[in-house]
Every structure is written in structure tokens, then in C-alpha cells.
Amino acid sequence: MSAPQHRIALLPDVLISQIAAGEVIERPASVVKELIENAIDAQAKTIALTLEEGGIAKIQLRDDGSGIAAEDLPLAVARHATSKIRSLDDLMQVASHGFRGEALAAISSVASVSITSRTAEAGHANCLSNSSGSWQISPAAGGQGTTIDVGQLFFSVPARRRFLKSAATELHHCKEAFVRQAMIRPEIGWQLTHQGRVLLKLSPTKALARVAQLLDVEEQTLRELDLQQGPLQLSAWLQTPTAAGNKTDQQYLYVNGRAVKDRMLMHAMRSAYADVLHGDRQPKYVVSLQIDPSLVDVNVHPAKSEVRFKDSQAVYGVVVAGCKKALASAAQTESPPVFASTGASASMTGTSGQLPWAPGPGAAQPGAAQPAANWPSAWQAFYQAGQSSSPMQGGSLSSLSVADPGASYAEASGHASSHEHPLGYALAQLHGIFILAQNHKGLVVVDMHAAHERIVYERLKAQHDQGGMAMQTLLAPIAMAASPLEVETAHQHQGLLEQLGFSLSSLSETSLAIRGVPVMLSGGDAVSLIRDTLSELAQHGQAHNLEEARNQLLGTMACHGAVRANRALTIPEMNQLLRDMESTERADQCNHGRPTWVQLDLAMLDRLFMRGQ
């Protein structure tokens, strides 16, 4: 018997709405996100969210925005009805959040909904409700703005309701959706209440203060970035690598004010932190991109959580280079610097509480690299400029040079001189490992090998980026026993080795002749240095990520060139190391991401010894 034939038929409107709701409304947090986005689009100055049972029983959002006119209330819950787009051109240039006209219709198809709203011109508010089974509108009391009540989510779709988690879990997701929106809108006041208890109350403030509060970090542990490049404006608040923790749940990405989850941007942030993080540490950060809407498609996902850039490679380059610059500040003991688009130099000034909106085409800040008419070319030029560090000052690192022989313990004891440098002046060496220095805050403890390793590493990178490293030809070649793999690796990468400052030749299948080494590392153990370098080349020489492989190789070389533990240093040598740290990018961490120094302030020392108690 043949299978029965089914005729094609139109779906009922209710079923169509419920299917659409399945694309937009996954859980109470989805409702929270959509309602908050509408409140932001309405130019609200305060937004209050009230939940019961994690949002399963009730979600109420109140705002003081522009409100909805009485005659528009029925359209607000109709499918594909919106005030934000009128044509395809509007869709391609959309800068608002809730622009599809689906959210309220989808929510009302799977929950009981009432909307109370009043515009500035209206004499009273009006309420639209579906509690009786059909939409009814009636006069109501209320000030300017909109209050939306959503009750019994998925009451009409029991199968969907069974997939909801516990009230505590759903509350966690609702709070995260709330925080994601509040994070990037410091000019708005926010309040989150659950079961009558206020969980979060945020007053309007500056961007840095809002980010620090919601990330639960001290402001001084954040690096601020504000960069304009062509049609792209990049704002970021980046946790310093030494303060990074172990979780990835506080890494926030935004495009034109909309929270997104973008693999390309996540990879860009991993690249920006790659050279400064220790082990599997995960930093907290907030990264906001404002870009010409015509260069990004925000309409590729029903929940608008994904975007597609017209030139993703250019965006990637600007994000990596900009964030690297912000994280590459020299060692500081004061508040971290703010990096502005007027240059890469540090500034101690704060930033405005208002977050920048999408820049106009070709916009640039005074003093910044001027974009060409072709925007991607301008972005690429900035990216190339950001790949190399500025050349570091100083001579050979085979031994520490003495640039400040007058700096002594007597100077370190004086208040005037201790204010001259952030890391102060050296007092002594502890166990041949640590340098103890005094600055105006108190005591600075420096891991001398880790600090010097970073200094050598940055200088090696700078020399490599400027066309190769200077070579020191040895008066007498050194014969080195080598494995067949090492001999083959030396032959295969001869050009790269010469660029790194090495001159090698094979004597036999099991030996090499070392004829030259990098000038910077000429005072080290040449055989050990060559062996480790060849090992890194064998492992990473053909790596897909050439920059990462190069940095790994230079890091190995820097470790050989850094001052070793248990080497006695004079006071002037220690002071020279401190000065080099202050002028070296990323000097707060060694090549492996470990901190190179810590500050013990006088208040901490007083507490240790119970002074004044």
C-alpha cells in the first residue's frame, strides 16, 4: 500500500508565531535581551528589570524612554512590524538593536504579555494585554516610558517549558544578559531585582568605572584603548596579564553596541594576549567596535548574536595591533596609561563616560596615521605598523651596562630621587634572584632573570623586524656534536638562521661548526644556544602561524641571553635593569607570562608589622 499523499497547506498564524518564537526565544534570558534592546532603542535613561523564579514566572522591564503611541500599540505585537526600517537600504545601514519586528510578537505567542506605555505628548498611558485570550487596549496610569510584563513563559508550549532549567540557572542566564547590556551603556542607570531583592543597581558613570565594577576588578588593573582607524573605532578595557584568572566567562565583545560571539574577534584577542599570558590564564576584557553599518552584516542570525564583516582580515589586524599596543606599556607603578588614537604614548587622563558611536567614512583623529581613500589599505598599513615594536635603547645585553653610576643606596634613601622613576632605585640583591628597590610607594621586588628575559626578547624582536640581527663572527669556530636531525634542520633553515644572527656549517653528518652568533647573545653558551634554537626550529619551523613560531624561537634565544640567577650584580647594574624595564614594552611579564615585579606599598608593610594598631 502506498503512503498517503499530504496536500501542501498554509500553517495557522499561531503555529507560525510559535515556530518563529523558537528561533528567537530560547529561555527567559532571550526575553530579557530583546526587551532591553527595545528600551535602549527608545533612548531610555533608566532601565529596571524585575524577575520571579528566574524569569520563568515573571519578567518585567520598565524604562523611561520615548514610549509607544496608543495607535501603535497593536502593531507592536504584530509580526514583522517595526519603526526602525522601511527599505532594504535601511536594513543595510541599521544601527538600532531590535529592528526585525519579531521579538514582541514571538514572546506574546508563548507567554502572557501586557504593555503599558506613554509618550511625552500623551495625556495618559495605555495598556495592551492578551490575558483574556485576545488583545485588548485600555487607559492606564503611568509616566513616560514603557513597562512590559511577561508572565508564565511557554505556558502554551509545554514541550518547550520542560526544557527550561532550574530557577537558579535561568536567573544566572538572565543576569548575564542584563550585565552584557549594562556593561556597554554606562550612561544608563540600571537595576536588577529578583523575588523582591535588588541584586544589582548601577548609577550612570564613566565607562572605565562601569567596566571595572561589572568585571569586579580594580580600575588600575585595566588598560584602556580608544583608537580610530578609517571607518573603525575600537574601544577596549583589557585586564593586565598578571591579574588574569582561569575563567573565560567575562570576555565581552560588541559590534555597534550589540553583544556578539564572533570567532574571528575571539581569535584576535587570543593573539593580542599570546605573548604575555602565563600558562592557561584567561584575561577579562571588554572590546567594543563601532564600524560603518554598511561594512558589517548584523542580520545573519535570528538572535543577532553573530555578525559578518565585509573585510574581516582588516578588522582582525586593527584589533590585534591596537590591543597589543595597549598591553605593551612599559612598567608602571601608577595607574595604567590610557592609549588614545592620537598616538601610542601613554596618557594619564581619563576618558569620557560616553561610548563612541559609528564613525563616518574616513574619519581619523589628529596625529593618527591618516587613512587612505581605500579603507582596507589604511587598516592594513596600521596593522603592519603595529607588528613591530619601537627599537629599544641600550647597548649589548651580554652584560648589564652601567648608565647611571651615580645611583646608589644613598640616592635610593632620598625622597626626591625615589620619585624620579616608577620602579625607584635598587637597595640590594636577595639570594641572587631578586632585586629589592625603593620607590615613593614602598618596596619593589624584581625577579631579575624574568625581567631581563623580557628586555632581551623585545630587543631581539625589534632587531629581527628591522631586517635581521647583527652577527658576531667567532675568532675560532666551535665544533659541536649534533644529531642527524639537527644537521638537517641547520641546512634546511640556513637562511632563517643567518637572519637570526647565526652562522653554521656542517662538518659531517654528526657535527656542526658554529662560526657566528648574534651580537646580543655573544657572551652566552653558544653550543647550548644553538642546540635549543635548532630544537625550536625543528618543532615550529614549518608552523602555520609563522609569527607565533618566530616568537617562540626568539623567546628561547632571549632566555639564553638573560642574566642568570645567583649572578651578583652591583647597585648601578641593578638600577640599569630597572631603567630598562621602565622603557621596555610588556616589561610587567616575562616571555612566559609570569610577573617580573611586585609592589609592596607602605600600608601593606605597616599591616604586616601591625604599625599603628
Side-chain angles (χ1 to χ4, degrees):
M1 181 181 292
S2 60
Q5 295 286 328
H6 292 287
R7 301 291 302 276
I8 298 174
L10 292 172
L11 294 174
D13 288 341
V14 173
L15 183 56
I16 292 173
S17 296
Q18 290 178 342
I19 292 173
E23 297 177 349
V24 180
I25 308 304
E26 178 185 0
R27 61 195 330 154
S30 307
V31 177
V32 169
K33 171 184 175 293
E34 297 291 346
L35 297 185
I36 289 178
E37 286 181 345
N38 284 337
I40 293 173
D41 286 341
Q43 305 298 315
K45 298 300 180 185
T46 59
I47 296 176
L49 175 66
T50 301
L51 304 172
E52 291 184 8
E53 296 181 22
I56 300 173
K58 177 182 177 181
I59 300 171
Q60 182 191 78
L61 191 87
R62 291 182 291 109
D63 70 64
D64 59 356
S66 56
I68 305 172
E71 58 271 23
D72 287 342
L73 276 174
L75 284 174
V77 293
R79 295 188 66 234
H80 304 306
T82 178
S83 62
K84 297 159 189 174
I85 57 174
R86 290 289 185 270
S87 66
L88 181 60
D89 289 340
D90 292 339
L91 183 63
M92 298 307 295
Q93 292 283 341
V94 68
S96 58
H97 290 77
F99 59 87
R100 285 175 167 165
E102 296 175 1
L104 290 177
I107 295 169
S108 62
S109 69
V110 293
S112 63
V113 174
S114 68
I115 305 174
T116 303
S117 191
R118 178 182 176 182
T119 62
E121 299 78 18
H124 59 82
N126 290 278
C127 178
L128 179 72
S129 172
N130 66 351
S131 57
S132 63
S134 60
W135 290 107
Q136 302 289 332
I137 187 170
S138 59
Q144 179 180 335
T146 302
T147 299
I148 301 180
D149 287 280
V150 178
Q152 300 303 319
L153 186 63
F154 296 133
F155 77 97
S156 59
V157 193
R160 294 286 305 281
R161 191 179 180 93
R162 285 196 296 269
F163 280 91
L164 295 179
K165 305 300 182 182
S166 67
T169 299
E170 297 301 339
L171 173 62
H172 170 77
H173 289 287
C174 287
K175 186 177 180 180
E176 179 63 19
F178 182 87
V179 167
R180 281 190 176 275
Q181 300 289 348
M183 184 82 72
I184 206 69
R185 300 288 176 182
E187 72 278 8
I188 298 177
W190 301 78
Q191 179 170 303
L192 171 61
T193 304
H194 183 248
Q195 303 293 111
R197 176 171 167 249
V198 176
L199 301 183
L200 199 59
K201 188 170 185 179
L202 306 170
S203 301
T205 185
K206 292 183 178 180
L208 177 61
R210 174 65 59 82
V211 170
Q213 182 180 3
L214 292 180
L215 291 183
D216 193 23
V217 299
E218 298 292 334
E219 290 185 18
Q220 58 266 28
T221 64
L222 294 174
R223 295 282 192 267
E224 268 192 292
L225 171 65
D226 189 8
L227 174 73
Q228 177 98 35
Q229 188 65 28
L232 177 64
Q233 179 151 354
L234 171 63
S235 301
W237 297 264
L238 312 173
Q239 188 179 35
T240 55
T242 49
N246 300 317
K247 297 181 179 179
T248 61
D249 59 350
Q250 289 188 297
Q251 298 176 344
Y252 298 91
L253 300 170
Y254 300 87
V255 175
N256 288 352
R258 184 178 291 107
V260 299
K261 296 178 180 178
D262 186 86
R263 291 182 179 179
M264 182 272 290
L265 291 178
M266 292 172 66
H267 187 272
M269 293 310 298
R270 286 196 297 270
S271 297
Y273 272 98
D275 209 16
V276 290
L277 281 178
H278 179 57
D280 58 355
R281 291 276 185 165
Q282 296 291 340
K284 300 178 182 180
Y285 56 73
V286 177
V287 177
S288 174
L289 280 70
Q290 302 293 342
I291 188 171
D292 187 332
S294 65
L295 299 179
V296 59
D297 186 359
V298 299
N299 200 30
V300 297
H301 189 276
K304 302 185 291 291
S305 61
E306 298 177 8
V307 295
R308 182 182 296 121
F309 294 99
K310 187 174 182 180
D311 193 335
S312 58
Q313 185 178 3
V315 175
Y316 178 90
V318 173
V319 172
V320 172
C323 291
K324 277 189 174 182
K325 282 179 179 290
L327 293 170
S329 61
Q332 297 284 334
T333 57
E334 302 294 343
S335 299
V338 176
F339 287 82
S341 55
T342 53
S345 59
S347 168
M348 300 304 295
T349 58
T351 57
S352 167
Q354 297 291 331
L355 295 177
W357 196 242
Q365 297 295 326
Q370 297 299 316
N374 185 335
W375 286 338
S377 296
W379 298 355
Q380 290 297 338
F382 172 78
Y383 173 63
Q384 295 296 332
Q387 294 310 295
S388 60
S389 305
S390 57
M392 306 301 171
Q393 302 299 319
S396 170
L397 293 182
S398 58
S399 63
L400 286 172
S401 57
V402 180
D404 189 10
S408 63
Y409 178 85
E411 278 189 303
S413 301
H415 292 289
S417 62
S418 65
H419 280 275
E420 292 177 3
H421 298 288
L423 296 180
Y425 286 96
L427 300 173
Q429 192 175 14
L430 179 64
H431 288 294
I433 300 174
F434 301 105
I435 293 174
L436 306 182
Q438 173 182 307
N439 64 1
H440 69 281
K441 280 191 171 184
L443 179 67
V444 175
V445 182
V446 176
D447 182 330
M448 67 182 195
H449 173 75
H452 195 214
E453 187 177 8
R454 170 59 73 175
I455 294 168
V456 177
Y457 179 46
E458 292 298 331
R459 292 180 179 174
L460 288 174
K461 285 200 298 183
Q463 278 201 6
H464 186 271
D465 291 337
Q466 291 169 6
M469 301 177 191
M471 182 188 300
Q472 174 68 58
T473 303
L474 301 181
L475 293 176
I478 299 174
M480 166 186 163
S483 68
L485 176 60
E486 289 173 330
V487 174
E488 181 183 352
T489 303
H491 176 73
Q492 183 180 359
H493 299 286
Q494 182 177 358
L496 177 57
L497 287 167
E498 290 177 355
Q499 190 179 15
L500 294 172
F502 294 102
S503 176
L504 301 177
S505 62
S506 59
L507 297 177
S508 68
E509 294 182 355
T510 57
S511 63
L512 291 169
I514 306 172
R515 303 184 183 279
V517 294
V519 170
M520 279 182 144
L521 309 178
S522 59
D525 182 346
V527 173
S528 179
L529 174 60
I530 291 292
R531 202 175 298 282
D532 285 351
T533 301
L534 292 176
S535 175
E536 289 291 344
L537 275 177
Q539 182 178 356
H540 299 288
Q542 301 299 324
H544 177 69
N545 189 335
L546 295 180
E547 182 182 1
E548 182 179 343
R550 182 209 70 165
N551 290 344
Q552 185 96 13
L553 183 61
L554 295 180
T556 298
M557 295 169 61
C559 189
H560 280 272
V563 62
R564 297 293 181 177
N566 299 317
R567 174 179 164 182
L569 300 180
T570 65
I571 290 291
E573 286 177 325
M574 293 184 229
N575 282 324
Q576 182 59 42
L577 180 60
L578 297 177
R579 303 294 79 80
D580 286 344
M581 290 175 64
E582 291 166 350
S583 63
T584 298
E585 292 183 340
R586 307 174 186 89
D588 291 343
Q589 301 86 31
C590 75
N591 310 345
H592 314 292
R594 295 191 298 107
T596 58
W597 64 277
V598 294
Q599 173 79 59
L600 303 177
D601 59 30
L602 291 175
M604 180 183 297
L605 295 172
D606 285 342
R607 288 195 299 272
L608 289 174
F609 292 97
M610 300 185 188
R611 287 174 56 85
Q613 298 184 20

